[in-house]
Amino acid sequence: MTATTGGRDDTGERAAERDHAPDRSTAPGHHPRVALPHSEAEGPIAEAERTAGHATDDDHPLGEPGRPLDRRSPFMIGLIGSAGVAVTAGLVLIVVNSWSALLLIGVALFLAIGLEPAVSALVRRGVRRSLAVTGVAILLVVVVAGFLASAIVPLAAQAGALFARAPAILQDLQNRNSVLGGLGARLQIQQRIEQLVSGNGSTLVNGVLGAGVALFGALADAVVVLVLTVYFLASLPSIRVLVYRLVPHSRRPRVILIGDEVLAKVGAYVLGNLLISAIIGIATFIWLEIFHVPYALALSVLVALLDLVPVVGSTIAGIIVALVALSVSWPVALATVAFYVVYRFLEDYLLVPKVMGRAVNVPDTVTVVSVLIGGVLLGVVGALVAIPVAAAVTMVLREAVFPRLDRA
């Protein structure tokens, strides 16, 4: 039976309105909907379909967004908490399993930041950044290749001379009246060599193979770091922009100022440290050549590499060179010790202030503590990056943390 009001058929009127109403499912900006089977034409889905047809407009072609989920509900709190734990555990697992690769990436990024001042200086002089990066990268490759080309042949010759002198060195070790004999008796060097040689040979072979594998791995890591350094140097502006985009807009200007200052300090530290290491390497080579100390080139390269490690690097290098100088005479060894003591004084009070200036303003206590902690955590790499990291942390504390604590 059909309901009527005032003699009119409401059902007929509603049917007529539906017949003359525009089809919103095929209107511009709307997707046509699939026709429902006859059995579902009057079910809850059909009602939702009719509601969806009237819920769209030009501003919201797919309908207005609904209310956001209640983040305070027990379900959402548990879901977010468990997801956070899972993500943290996954990140820790990734870091542990790829620690060696991450370490190489960190060293390459550190070197790229250190070479950035050279690229920026060329850009300020009107050179395009691509050409500036190419020039610095070529210079870096030429320096590394030139070092290898000039050092491999003398190092091989000096290593051959060392093997040729091995019998004489063993004879000096057996003579307790000589300097090496007295030192060998105290350290029991001859007994250790005899035990190594008189064994079944497996220990010696494994040691040689292990040294070869370690050398090959070091060369491969050096090539990887060199390639990554060039890539990071080319894309450093994009990396900088990406990192700053992760900061909220209201805090972005302040973070940009502090971040750029940190990058400038790291770059100045890396370039200054490389320059100081080159100076001590050249000075060591000249000193050893004057007094005819053997293996001058190898020792000079070793001293330059060890001097990259702050605080303790030059001291260890001086001890090693002085021990080798004992093969010449006691006066030469004592003079070598005095040479490194004087150089260390000049480095701390003349070279470092002049070369680095105020680029890295870190208290002495913080320097020593940071180098010790970095060495324990990451070895030589940690000791190398300890001072610029400490400078960055000190700046953040001074510029952001301490003022906020003073206002609290």
Side-chain angles (χ1 to χ4, degrees):
M1 185 174 181
T2 305
T4 58
T5 303
R8 294 183 300 171
D9 189 347
D10 292 342
T11 303
E13 290 182 0
R14 285 196 298 268
E17 291 177 359
R18 285 198 302 268
D19 293 338
H20 293 86
D23 187 3
R24 298 181 65 89
S25 62
T26 59
H30 298 275
H31 301 282
R33 294 184 296 276
V34 179
L36 294 175
H38 180 72
S39 59
E40 299 180 2
E42 297 299 331
I45 300 300
E47 182 180 356
E49 287 279 356
R50 289 192 295 270
T51 304
H54 297 280
T56 60
D57 52 31
D58 294 336
D59 295 332
H60 303 90
L62 298 179
E64 294 185 4
R67 293 185 303 173
L69 297 176
D70 186 8
R71 297 182 180 180
R72 297 181 181 180
S73 65
F75 175 77
M76 290 301 298
I77 292 175
L79 181 63
I80 295 174
S82 60
V85 173
V87 170
T88 303
L91 291 177
V92 172
L93 186 61
I94 291 174
V95 171
V96 171
N97 292 334
S98 58
W99 178 249
S100 58
L102 293 177
L103 189 61
L104 296 179
I105 294 173
V107 172
L109 184 59
F110 182 75
L111 293 177
I113 294 174
L115 295 175
E116 175 62 21
V119 176
S120 299
L122 293 176
V123 172
R124 286 194 297 269
R125 286 171 173 78
V127 181
R128 289 191 303 174
R129 181 173 180 85
S130 59
L131 296 178
V133 171
T134 303
V136 173
I138 292 175
L139 180 61
L140 180 63
V141 173
V142 168
V143 169
V144 174
F147 164 74
L148 293 177
S150 62
I152 286 178
V153 175
L155 286 176
Q158 292 178 4
L162 178 61
F163 282 113
R165 288 191 56 191
I169 295 175
L170 290 176
Q171 186 176 359
D172 289 339
L173 286 174
Q174 295 175 355
N175 185 9
R176 295 180 178 272
N177 295 324
S178 64
V179 176
L180 290 177
L183 183 62
R186 292 186 178 88
L187 299 178
Q188 298 181 351
I189 297 177
Q190 184 178 356
Q191 291 81 352
R192 296 178 186 274
I193 295 177
E194 290 177 353
Q195 292 175 1
L196 181 62
V197 176
S198 62
N200 55 9
S202 61
T203 303
L204 183 60
V205 172
N206 291 334
V208 173
L209 291 178
V213 172
L215 179 60
F216 180 78
L219 292 177
D221 291 344
V223 173
V224 170
V225 169
L226 183 62
V227 173
L228 286 178
T229 300
V230 175
Y231 276 106
F232 282 144
L233 189 60
S235 59
L236 198 59
S238 301
I239 297 174
R240 172 182 173 274
V241 171
L242 176 62
V243 172
Y244 289 153
R245 285 290 300 273
L246 298 176
V247 181
H249 178 73
S250 59
R251 300 178 181 270
R252 196 171 294 164
R254 176 73 165 165
V255 172
I256 289 175
L257 293 176
I258 297 177
D260 288 349
E261 185 67 18
V262 170
L263 293 178
K265 286 182 178 294
V266 173
Y269 173 79
V270 173
L271 288 180
N273 205 9
L274 291 175
L275 180 58
I276 292 175
S277 296
I279 292 174
I280 184 57
I282 295 172
T284 298
F285 180 77
I286 295 174
W287 176 270
L288 297 181
E289 284 291 321
I290 291 174
F291 291 96
H292 304 288
V293 178
Y295 323 117
L297 181 60
L299 291 175
S300 301
V301 174
L302 179 62
V303 169
L305 293 177
L306 288 177
D307 192 67
L308 292 173
V309 181
V311 180
V312 297
S314 59
T315 303
I316 297 175
I319 294 173
I320 294 174
V321 175
L323 290 176
V324 177
L326 276 175
S327 62
V328 178
S329 64
W330 274 103
V332 173
L334 294 177
T336 302
V337 172
F339 166 76
Y340 280 101
V341 170
V342 173
Y343 174 79
R344 181 61 188 271
F345 178 82
L346 294 176
E347 178 181 309
D348 292 341
Y349 295 97
L350 180 63
L351 289 179
V352 172
K354 292 293 183 180
V355 174
M356 296 186 184
R358 296 184 177 181
V360 184
N361 186 15
V362 181
D364 296 336
T365 304
V366 177
T367 299
V368 176
V369 172
S370 61
V371 169
L372 291 176
I373 295 176
V376 171
L377 294 178
L378 300 176
V380 177
V381 176
L384 289 174
V385 303
I387 292 181
V389 170
V393 173
T394 302
M395 176 181 294
V396 172
L397 291 176
R398 185 175 61 250
E399 297 293 335
V401 178
F402 290 158
R404 181 174 299 178
L405 295 176
D406 292 338
R407 292 192 301 267

